[in-house]
Amino acid sequence: MASYEEIFEKNAQWVAKMTRNDPDYFEKLASDQQPDYLYVGCSDSRVPANEIMGLEPGELFVHRNVGNLVNNTDLNVMACINYAVRHLNVKHIIVCGHYNCGAVKAAMTPVDLGILNPWLRTIRDVYRMHQNELNEIKDEHARYNRLVELNVLEQCTNIIKTAAVQKSYLEKNYPIVHGWVFDMHTGILIDQHINFEKILKDIQQIYNLTAGS
Ligand code: CO
């Protein structure tokens, strides 16, 4: 584990490495950003977004919070999605959950966690919506893993409910929303292949925000 002081040494080493072959690297980086991807993931320190996707600075717009949640009254995540879709014109939005997620584990635990209660309630709501399927799974660890996957699916759906995504898709055929799970035991990213078109069509029976556009 790096000490606090070592972080600045590591930063200097990183700057040297990045400018070795391209002295203007940071000048170019500072001039603009045109990322194709918005990533919504968990704050967990073991899931570093750029590294697991092999993407460089400038290639990924990132929002992270505890449990990779997309609450429609969370101004932070909503502003991020809005900016990414309407101003950066991202082509893909990824919700990335991960196995061993402490937030999902906590949401399955019957204790009072203070201010985390309303935050984790969103995950408990996912559990309730998929109660029949989850209760069929007798092995607790398997049930926990499945809740991680279902939470990703529901947060993808929440992104698809936004006006920014619906209107952009109608006009430009992007962004496409994807649901992934990161398996930290292997380092592998698993695409859950959610059916974006079908989810969009289904939710628009109730959540359609494209009238007049
Ligand atoms: Co997590």
Side-chain angles (χ1 to χ4, degrees):
M1 205 71 79
S3 72
Y4 182 80
E5 288 74 18
E6 278 169 345
I7 287 171
F8 293 92
E9 289 169 27
K10 284 175 177 290
N11 172 251
Q13 289 163 10
W14 178 69
V15 171
K17 183 179 139 211
M18 300 309 272
T19 51
R20 198 167 297 141
N21 295 324
D22 184 358
D24 297 329
Y25 179 82
F26 288 103
E27 277 304 319
K28 286 184 210 158
L29 190 65
S31 68
D32 195 16
Q33 66 163 340
Q34 291 176 322
D36 282 334
Y37 305 97
L38 164 61
Y39 171 100
V40 178
C42 186
S43 299
D44 194 300
S45 64
R46 300 165 296 179
V47 193
N50 281 70
E51 281 91 335
I52 63 176
M53 294 172 72
L55 295 179
E56 299 298 322
E59 295 186 308
L60 188 64
F61 202 62
V62 173
H63 180 88
R64 292 171 71 176
N65 63 37
V66 173
N68 42 272
L69 302 181
V70 180
N71 287 307
N72 94 90
T73 53
D74 174 5
L75 192 55
N76 191 344
V77 70
M78 285 297 144
C80 184
I81 293 167
N82 207 287
Y83 183 72
V85 173
R86 291 187 165 158
H87 299 277
L88 296 174
N89 286 303
V90 295
K91 307 298 182 290
H92 301 272
I93 301 178
I94 295 137
V95 175
C96 185
H98 67 102
Y99 298 128
N100 297 72
C101 184
V104 173
K105 188 77 184 167
M108 291 175 74
T109 311
V111 291
D112 177 0
L113 293 167
I115 192 63
L116 278 170
N117 294 337
W119 187 256
L120 296 177
R121 232 283 299 279
T122 299
I123 304 176
R124 289 183 198 271
D125 289 341
V126 174
Y127 199 118
R128 179 176 49 79
M129 284 185 266
H130 299 274
Q131 205 168 5
N132 292 341
E133 179 187 341
L134 287 164
N135 287 347
E136 286 292 309
I137 304 171
K138 296 301 167 214
D139 178 66
E140 197 186 336
H141 198 77
R143 197 160 69 239
Y144 170 30
N145 285 348
R146 185 60 186 146
L147 184 54
V148 166
E149 295 166 3
L150 291 168
N151 183 44
V152 166
L153 172 68
E154 290 300 334
Q155 305 319 315
C156 287
T157 305
N158 286 340
I159 291 177
I160 299 169
K161 289 173 192 166
T162 63
V165 168
Q166 290 184 30
K167 285 182 157 179
S168 176
Y169 191 73
L170 187 68
E171 289 159 18
K172 303 180 233 176
N173 267 313
Y174 61 79
I176 309 286
V177 178
H178 308 271
W180 296 355
V181 175
F182 177 67
D183 185 346
M184 63 177 63
H185 293 285
T186 60
I188 290 172
L189 277 174
I190 303 153
D191 187 343
Q192 298 200 88
H193 297 290
I194 67 159
N195 191 335
F196 172 74
E197 286 271 357
K198 183 176 186 312
I199 296 170
L200 178 66
K201 192 162 168 280
D202 288 349
I203 63 110
Q204 280 186 331
Q205 291 174 39
I206 297 168
Y207 301 91
N208 191 345
L209 299 174
T210 60
S213 54

